[in-house]
Amino acid sequence: MLSRRATLLGAGAMGLGGCGAGPTAAAVSDGLAGPLQPALERAMGDGSTGVLVLQSDRILAERYAPGWTADRPRELASVAKSIVGVLIGMAIEDGAIDGLDQSAADFIPPWRDDGRRAVTLRHLMSMTSGLDDTGLALRTIAGDQFAINAAAPLRAPPGTRWAYNTAAYHLLFHVLVRATGEGVEAYAARRLLGPLGMTHTRWITGIGQGEDGPVTNYYSAAATARDLAAFGGLVLDEGQRDGRRLIGAEFLRTLTTPSQALNPSYGLLWWCNSAPGHDATGRVEGYRFPRSPRDTVAALGAGGQALLLVPSRRLTVVRQGDPPGSPDLFDDLLSAAVAALGAT
């Protein structure tokens, strides 16, 4: 059983608070209810537990399913990848990590004496590590997640194969711990969650048994739609919040632009709409959001969790819920929101 998961996902956490960054109830406006209403109704009828649409920090529309409220977190699944990507950038800017092209073996000792020495942090974040992802442990691990996933052999030379590899990504949690000398929770709270006022966001972890005793296994995070919107606002504001720079704009651009030619739809733990590529399965080809602006970027997670950003319109769309029946739900929401903005 994942630690804290039942309490996180079963009920709301603390009340709205923080430093005032991000959306607030006072900012709510349903001025787009007319043009956007059909897309909102469709989304809520297709498994969504929450949908939030903002321009800058102004809430344009917000809907929740029965039993869900603005202060109730939901598991993010792989949306947490994009949060970790920003944390890696912060650790680089703090001097704890040399850079994206630093060998991951500097933090993963079993890789220091074989071909995996060539795997860089950029390879792990762009899903081009070449590590064999067959059978790697993802959830409810009884043992040491770090040791299990670090034992993966190379299937291909680093940089020559794109494959969505969540288990290899989990190693980045441990890179953060080893690089910063802090737990992920403490570092994230100090550098990201606290400054953004993301008071309802919690990490989903488990306890495993390592060679030297209990270890923390990292999986994902849980957050509210408004917390996700605050995180998205950091990207739209190019790394600044309330006049304070939290991360460099150039690093954010590196995260959210195509990272390699094998799958131009993928940046570094972020999805991009600027060029056609393929989805996480490797089967669906084309633009990720065909009817949406080309500068759209996204943090996407299993079950239909999504943080969708259109920088040119300063637009944020958050969708949380159960797996949608329509594969076009995100594109429908985005294109409807963009059209609604054009109508105002």
Side-chain angles (χ1 to χ4, degrees):
M1 187 68 64
L2 299 180
S3 67
R4 292 179 287 176
R5 186 177 184 188
T7 55
L8 271 175
L9 306 184
M14 299 180 289
L16 286 171
C19 65
T24 63
V28 173
S29 168
D30 265 341
L32 297 189
L36 196 50
Q37 191 66 23
L40 289 171
E41 290 181 356
R42 181 185 168 205
M44 296 311 298
D46 199 2
S48 300
T49 55
V51 176
L52 180 60
V53 181
L54 304 90
Q55 188 175 39
S56 297
D57 285 336
R58 184 169 67 98
I59 296 176
L60 304 175
E62 187 170 26
R63 299 287 186 273
Y64 294 100
W68 290 87
T69 59
D71 60 356
R72 182 178 174 183
R74 178 161 187 140
E75 183 175 346
L76 303 179
S78 287
V79 170
K81 286 183 171 75
S82 301
I83 298 176
V84 170
V86 169
L87 289 172
I88 291 288
M90 289 176 167
I92 290 172
E93 294 184 354
D94 288 346
I97 295 172
D98 292 342
L100 289 171
D101 296 315
Q102 183 172 2
S103 172
D106 290 345
F107 309 99
I108 307 173
W111 294 6
R112 292 174 181 170
D113 298 320
D114 60 36
R116 295 173 297 181
R117 175 81 193 177
V119 177
T120 65
L121 299 182
R122 190 188 301 272
H123 288 135
L124 289 175
M125 295 172 70
S126 62
M127 300 295 174
T128 61
S129 66
L131 292 169
D132 189 348
D133 52 336
T134 304
L136 288 183
L138 298 177
R139 288 297 188 110
T140 60
I141 301 170
D144 183 343
Q145 172 198 58
F146 176 73
I148 293 169
N149 292 346
L154 284 177
R155 174 176 171 179
T160 66
R161 173 179 178 259
W162 191 92
Y164 197 73
N165 191 329
T166 293
Y169 143 78
H170 283 157
L171 290 170
L172 291 168
F173 284 105
H174 301 277
V175 168
L176 272 173
V177 171
R178 285 159 172 75
T180 64
E182 299 181 57
V184 171
E185 297 90 340
Y187 186 73
R190 178 171 63 83
R191 287 291 274 113
L192 181 67
L193 306 185
L196 292 182
M198 295 172 66
T199 56
H200 295 76
T201 300
R202 299 291 181 271
W203 298 99
I204 296 176
T205 64
I207 300 299
Q209 189 64 33
E211 287 186 0
D212 300 319
V215 296
T216 299
N217 293 329
Y218 295 93
Y219 300 107
S220 184
T224 62
R226 291 189 181 187
D227 273 12
L228 276 185
F231 174 64
L234 179 70
V235 178
L236 293 181
D237 288 341
E238 298 184 325
Q240 296 189 81
R241 205 60 177 160
D242 291 341
R244 176 185 173 189
R245 178 159 296 284
L246 301 182
I247 187 171
E250 185 60 35
F251 192 88
L252 289 178
R253 282 190 288 272
T254 297
L255 291 177
T256 56
T257 54
S259 57
Q260 28 65 49
L262 298 167
N263 183 10
S265 287
Y266 205 72
L268 297 177
L269 302 177
W270 282 82
W271 292 92
C272 314
N273 201 43
S274 57
H278 51 264
D279 68 354
T281 69
R283 294 190 295 270
V284 180
E285 298 290 337
Y287 289 99
R288 295 283 59 80
F289 312 106
R291 291 177 287 113
S292 300
R294 290 289 165 257
D295 66 328
T296 300
V297 297
L300 303 176
Q305 320 316 315
L307 169 64
L308 310 166
L309 304 174
V310 185
S312 61
R313 304 304 303 271
R314 297 195 55 76
L315 175 68
T316 301
V317 177
V318 178
R319 189 272 181 185
Q320 295 177 291
D322 299 323
S326 170
D328 300 323
L329 178 61
F330 298 163
D331 202 19
D332 290 344
L333 275 171
L334 275 169
S335 57
V338 170
L341 287 175
T344 58

